[in-house]
């Protein structure tokens, strides 16, 4: 059984001097105004699909935030241009049915792939885990991504998983610490790993489709049916954001 939220906060408060050696007694060394602590809900089957027509969830409510950082506001800022354009088009074309609105927050494989990383850094009730497992996992991967440069580590830190950075960091991690791989597989489980590999494959497929988007755009613009045009526009956006192709890499910045 998982500890309660208040128990977790009590543990954090008691262990705070270990996290921050400059704080010996939190109640005396800190000028406490108020203490806020909470759970951040995330949804494995995300983004969440609308349950009703004419109603669209955005930000945290839509489930587009990463399960790694829970950065709902950052995710909303990243998707703001896409969402605002899609809403404008939905109103213009009258595509307000819940099935049409579901296309605005469609399946994005890079978000789904992030769940495997979350699984690797979490401990299930009753699971026996090496206390240094998570630190070893993070230290190895961040060290390698940092060595690969900003084009790899910066998107990851901003919750954008791309195929190029993912493939490069995983291959280097296997070479750097091959003995650690069986522990990771045992920790996350074979079913989770297989599911994750499917999402990684879809990132590659979405990357391929995004590269063909100029051809699809010409076709979409020629469609006479407003609903068909709306849905194809949303699919092209899903390919772009679901592959991380919306992210401007540091090496691409002018």
């Amino acid at each position: 059984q998982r500890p309660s939220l208040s128990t977790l906060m009590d543990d954090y408060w008691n262990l705070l001097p270990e996290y921050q050696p400059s704080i010996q007694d939190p109640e005396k060394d800190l000028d406490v105004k108020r203490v806020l602590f909470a759970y951040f809900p995330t949804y494995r089957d995300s983004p969440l699909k609308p349950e009703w027509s004419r109603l669209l969830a955005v930000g945290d409510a839509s489930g587009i935030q990463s399960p790694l950082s829970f950065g709902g506001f950052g995710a909303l800022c990243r998707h703001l241009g896409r969402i605002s354009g899609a809403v404008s088009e939905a109103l213009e074309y009258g595509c307000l049915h819940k099935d049409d609105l579901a296309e605005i927050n469609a399946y994005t494989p890079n978000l789904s792939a992030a769940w495997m990383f979350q699984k690797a850094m979490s401990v299930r009730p009753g699971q026996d885990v090496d206390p240094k497992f998570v630190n070893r996992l993070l230290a190895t991967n961040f060290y390698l991504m940092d060595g690969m440069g900003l084009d790899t580590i910066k998107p990851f830190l901003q919750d954008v998983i791309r195929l190029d950075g993912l493939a490069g960091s995983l291959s280097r991690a296997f070479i750097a610490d091959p003995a650690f791989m069986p522990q990771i597989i045992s920790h996350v489980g074979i079913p989770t790993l297989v599911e994750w590999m499917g999402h990684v494959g879809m990132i590659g497929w979405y990357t391929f489709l995004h590269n063909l988007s100029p051809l699809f755009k010409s076709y979409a613009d020629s469609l006479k049916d407003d609903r068909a045009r709306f849905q194809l526009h949303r699919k092209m956006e899903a390919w772009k954001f679901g592959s991380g192709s919306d992210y401007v890499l540091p090496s691409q910045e002018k």
Side-chain angles (χ1 to χ4, degrees):
Q1 183 178 358
R2 295 196 182 278
S4 67
L5 179 59
S6 59
T7 299
L8 289 174
M9 184 59 200
D10 288 339
D11 289 344
Y12 170 78
W13 192 257
N14 293 329
L15 293 171
L16 190 56
E18 295 186 30
Y19 298 140
Q20 298 287 342
S22 61
I23 302 174
Q24 296 300 315
D25 185 341
E27 296 185 12
K28 294 180 179 179
D29 297 342
L30 297 177
D31 182 16
V32 179
K33 302 299 183 182
R34 60 176 176 168
V35 178
L36 297 177
F37 53 99
Y39 286 128
F40 286 89
T42 57
Y43 303 92
R44 187 177 181 84
D45 187 20
S46 59
L48 301 178
K49 298 293 184 282
E51 294 291 334
W52 300 277
S53 298
R54 308 182 70 87
L55 183 63
L56 177 69
V58 297
D60 287 347
S62 68
I64 61 173
Q65 70 273 22
S66 168
L68 296 177
S69 69
F70 315 110
F73 180 75
L76 178 60
C77 291
R78 175 190 168 204
H79 291 268
L80 190 58
R82 176 185 67 80
I83 294 174
S84 59
V87 170
S88 177
E89 205 169 314
L91 292 171
E92 180 181 354
Y93 297 153
C95 297
L96 303 176
H97 189 271
K98 65 179 183 179
D99 293 340
D100 296 319
L101 297 179
E103 296 293 334
I104 296 179
N105 287 327
Y107 163 72
T108 50
N110 54 0
L111 176 61
S112 295
W115 277 97
M116 208 281 289
F117 299 112
Q118 187 272 348
K119 186 87 169 181
M121 292 187 290
S122 63
V123 179
R124 297 184 296 275
Q127 188 177 19
D128 185 19
V129 180
D130 182 348
K132 297 182 180 180
F133 176 85
V134 173
N135 286 341
R136 181 180 177 184
L137 178 68
L138 292 174
T140 300
N141 283 278
F142 277 106
Y143 174 77
L144 293 171
M145 287 192 291
D146 185 50
M148 293 172 66
L150 288 177
D151 279 2
T152 298
I153 194 169
K154 190 174 180 181
F156 185 82
L157 291 175
Q158 295 181 343
D159 288 335
V160 180
I161 297 177
R162 293 167 51 96
L163 185 63
D164 47 6
L166 182 62
S169 60
L170 288 179
S171 60
R172 284 169 171 78
F174 181 79
I175 295 173
D177 195 359
F180 192 37
M181 295 302 111
Q183 293 185 44
I184 297 176
I185 295 173
S186 175
H187 181 77
V188 301
I190 296 295
T192 299
L193 183 62
V194 171
E195 180 185 355
W196 175 78
M197 291 175 67
H199 293 309
V200 172
M202 290 301 294
I203 295 176
W205 178 238
Y206 272 42
T207 302
F208 172 76
L209 290 174
H210 171 68
N211 291 332
L212 299 179
S213 285
L215 300 178
F216 285 102
K217 186 177 186 306
S218 300
Y219 172 70
D221 293 341
S222 68
L223 291 174
K224 303 299 182 183
D225 184 89
D226 290 341
R227 187 167 186 261
R229 189 185 317 117
F230 171 85
Q231 292 186 342
L232 186 50
H233 284 165
R234 304 292 78 77
K235 290 186 184 300
M236 289 190 293
E237 290 173 348
W239 300 338
K240 180 179 182 180
F241 282 79
S243 64
S245 300
D246 62 295
Y247 191 90
V248 180
L249 298 173
S251 61
Q252 299 172 337
E253 295 176 350
K254 296 182 179 179

